[in-house]
Amino acid sequence: MNTERHIRKAELHDLPHIMQLIEYGRQKMRADGNAEQWSGGEPRQETIMRDIEGGNSYLVIENGIAIATFAFVEGPDITYSEIFEGSWTDAMTPYYVIHRAAGMPAVHGVMRTILEWCSRRTDNIRVDTHRQNHVMQHILTANGFRYCGIIYLLDGAERLAYQRISLQASNI
């Protein structure tokens, strides 16, 4: 079957579907042994609404169906201002951050689609993930991201921080 994927900005009417995609992501993390990330109802609907209203929420569409969601936010990100037990590959150049990526079960290659799309828009991308999220850590390193160190979220939760610098962006 020939699948065609594209990415579009999310709109407020997409919110229920985005929250379902987030729940799928949460279930996948639990099945993969990541019991802590996105616990306690995180990310909250209010966070996703802010992403949408800020123009930072996106959907991956395959054959007319939204199969994944993510936030793509221009830095600086306050939680990235300090990094521990390491350093950013490039701490000076403006960057974008990928947050809250989740997709439907049994759909493969979604994160690669997201990373390729983001890389066409910037050459400096940062991502953080939970220490238990081995799947995401593997995807990031397999796609050229370098582990940089530890950052802490505003609530004090630890995250592993990654960065990729490339020269492919066309600044669309």
Side-chain angles (χ1 to χ4, degrees), residues 19-72:
M19 295 311 296
Q20 182 61 58
L21 291 167
I22 295 289
E23 181 57 30
Y24 290 145
R26 184 179 292 113
Q27 291 170 9
K28 178 156 180 35
M29 284 190 266
R30 299 303 172 267
D32 291 338
N34 181 357
E36 295 179 30
Q37 190 173 3
W38 290 5
S39 61
E42 294 293 332
R44 302 206 180 288
Q45 182 169 308
E46 296 78 25
T47 302
I48 305 303
M49 284 177 58
R50 278 195 307 274
D51 287 341
I52 294 169
E53 290 167 349
N56 300 317
S57 182
Y58 294 87
L59 291 168
V60 179
I61 309 296
E62 182 176 275
N63 298 324
I65 299 168
I67 61 166
T69 183
F70 66 99
F72 187 55

Side-chain angles (χ1 to χ4, degrees), residues 5 7 70 72 98 109-122 125 143 145 164 166 168-170 172:
R5 288 185 180 168
I7 294 177
F70 66 99
F72 187 55
I98 300 171
V110 169
M111 197 63 197
R112 182 177 339 190
T113 299
I114 292 168
L115 294 173
E116 287 171 359
W117 184 87
C118 293
S119 293
R120 289 192 300 271
R121 281 141 184 87
T122 183
I125 300 173
N143 283 279
F145 281 78
R164 183 174 74 185
S166 68
Q168 301 174 18
S170 60
I172 298 173

Side-chain angles (χ1 to χ4, degrees), residues 77-97:
D77 183 316
I78 192 166
T79 61
Y80 290 3
S81 60
E82 243 185 305
I83 189 163
F84 301 89
E85 298 179 29
S87 63
W88 295 112
T89 303
D90 177 345
M92 303 303 293
T93 305
Y95 61 90
Y96 280 77
V97 180

